[in-house]
Amino acid sequence: VQQNAALCGPNDTDFTTNDAINDDLVAKVLKICDHAEWTPISDSDGIKVWRTTLPPDLAVGGRTLGETSKFFCVMAQGVLDAGPDKIKRYFMDNSRVGEYNEYCKEILDVETIDVNTKITWSASGKVGPFKERDFVTRVHYRTLPDGSFVVANRAETSDKAPTTERYLRMEISVGGNVLRPVGGDADKTHLTVLTHVNPGGIADTRLGAMILNSAAATGPLKFIHGLRSCIVKDKRASAEASAAAAEGDDEVAHDDDDFTRLLHEQMQADSRAGRRSTVLTCPAAIT
């Protein structure tokens, strides 16, 4: 029996609509994460990584994996020290991607399909001996009824995406990030990272598959470590900003204390001289 054959369902859905593609994409991300037959790869620093092989006739949003199925599908899970609302901002802000995804060197939104769906072009550096790659990817955001937040990805075509001889096109067959709240702690997020790619070119050989499969096993691990570094960096910046604000408040309070002292001194001087003090009604009289 073919591994993960149960993941394949009937392919009679009409995928001519954007909603149908997105619905199936989200459903496949969740189904693969929750029901695939996973083999453990590593367990360190609170991050667990697994791999599996997807069936070639598995369709994602109307696109069948085919020969791409020979590459491992990898999943990683870990807990992050920030709430889901904070974490999802990292995924929605292109300017932060390079901070947690070391393979992403450039990224550009090239099309907006709807308020929760876009097409991006991105480029990566070299992996081992292989040429630099670029991607054109559908990115769909969805909040589930249980409060989980899903970022679902799949290769897409777009005539608005840059083309250049520098890069070889690489495709994300199916990918996703699932953010789930941790019960009882609003400042923690359980993150699942799913990735399955077709590297293309010479990597699409038996030797290339072996090298890329090895790299794919470490990518999600580095991805989660990268997000943890972002969280630490942001918390440090927030603490420094709070400290600077508190210092500013102390300086204002110190200035107020000096002003009050001057008022008292002037009132005492007026009293000694037998003058009626005007400072209560005219502080500007102090020079």
Side-chain angles (χ1 to χ4, degrees), residues 48-187:
K48 295 182 178 181
V49 184
W50 300 264
R51 65 172 172 82
T52 193
T53 301
L54 300 177
D57 53 346
L58 175 65
V60 179
R63 293 189 173 188
T64 304
L65 264 57
E67 288 295 315
T68 304
S69 63
K70 66 186 173 186
F71 299 105
F72 285 143
C73 180
V74 178
M75 179 176 71
Q77 293 182 337
V79 174
L80 303 175
D81 291 328
D85 286 342
K86 171 67 176 178
I87 303 302
K88 72 181 182 182
R89 294 194 191 106
Y90 293 128
F91 294 111
M92 302 179 77
D93 183 356
N94 285 351
S95 69
R96 303 299 301 269
V97 175
E99 296 180 46
Y100 58 83
N101 187 348
E102 68 173 19
Y103 295 112
C104 185
K105 304 305 181 184
E106 299 179 66
I107 185 167
L108 176 69
D109 292 345
V110 295
E111 288 188 50
T112 299
I113 298 177
D114 62 37
V115 67
N116 292 312
T117 312
K118 63 182 180 179
I119 297 177
T120 66
W121 173 86
S122 58
S124 70
K126 295 181 65 175
V127 178
F130 304 118
K131 184 177 180 178
E132 295 164 302
R133 259 61 174 172
D134 68 350
F135 308 76
V136 179
T137 309
R138 171 184 290 257
V139 181
H140 176 65
Y141 305 105
R142 182 170 298 190
T143 300
L144 303 181
D146 67 355
S148 299
F149 184 75
V150 179
V151 185
N153 306 318
R154 191 206 68 176
E156 196 60 83
T157 57
S158 173
D159 55 9
K160 297 180 181 179
T163 56
T164 170
E165 293 296 322
R166 176 180 174 181
Y167 300 108
L168 184 66
R169 185 59 46 86
M170 186 172 181
E171 293 188 341
I172 298 176
S173 306
V174 59
N177 300 285
V178 184
L179 286 63
R180 292 187 170 100
V182 174
D185 195 335
D187 293 324

Side-chain angles (χ1 to χ4, degrees), residues 4-64:
N4 291 315
L7 296 176
C8 301
N11 293 323
D12 55 355
T13 303
D14 179 7
F15 289 109
T16 58
T17 68
N18 177 59
D19 287 345
I21 295 173
N22 289 338
D23 288 347
D24 189 66
L25 178 55
V26 170
K28 289 296 168 53
V29 167
L30 297 175
K31 191 172 184 179
I32 293 170
C33 289
D34 296 338
H35 301 293
E37 301 169 24
W38 293 103
T39 299
I41 297 177
S42 64
D43 184 352
S44 63
D45 298 326
I47 303 172
K48 295 182 178 181
V49 184
W50 300 264
R51 65 172 172 82
T52 193
T53 301
L54 300 177
D57 53 346
L58 175 65
V60 179
R63 293 189 173 188
T64 304

Side-chain angles (χ1 to χ4, degrees), residues 182-196:
V182 174
D185 195 335
D187 293 324
K188 289 189 181 296
T189 299
H190 182 276
L191 174 66
T192 298
V193 180
L194 178 75
T195 180
H196 184 268

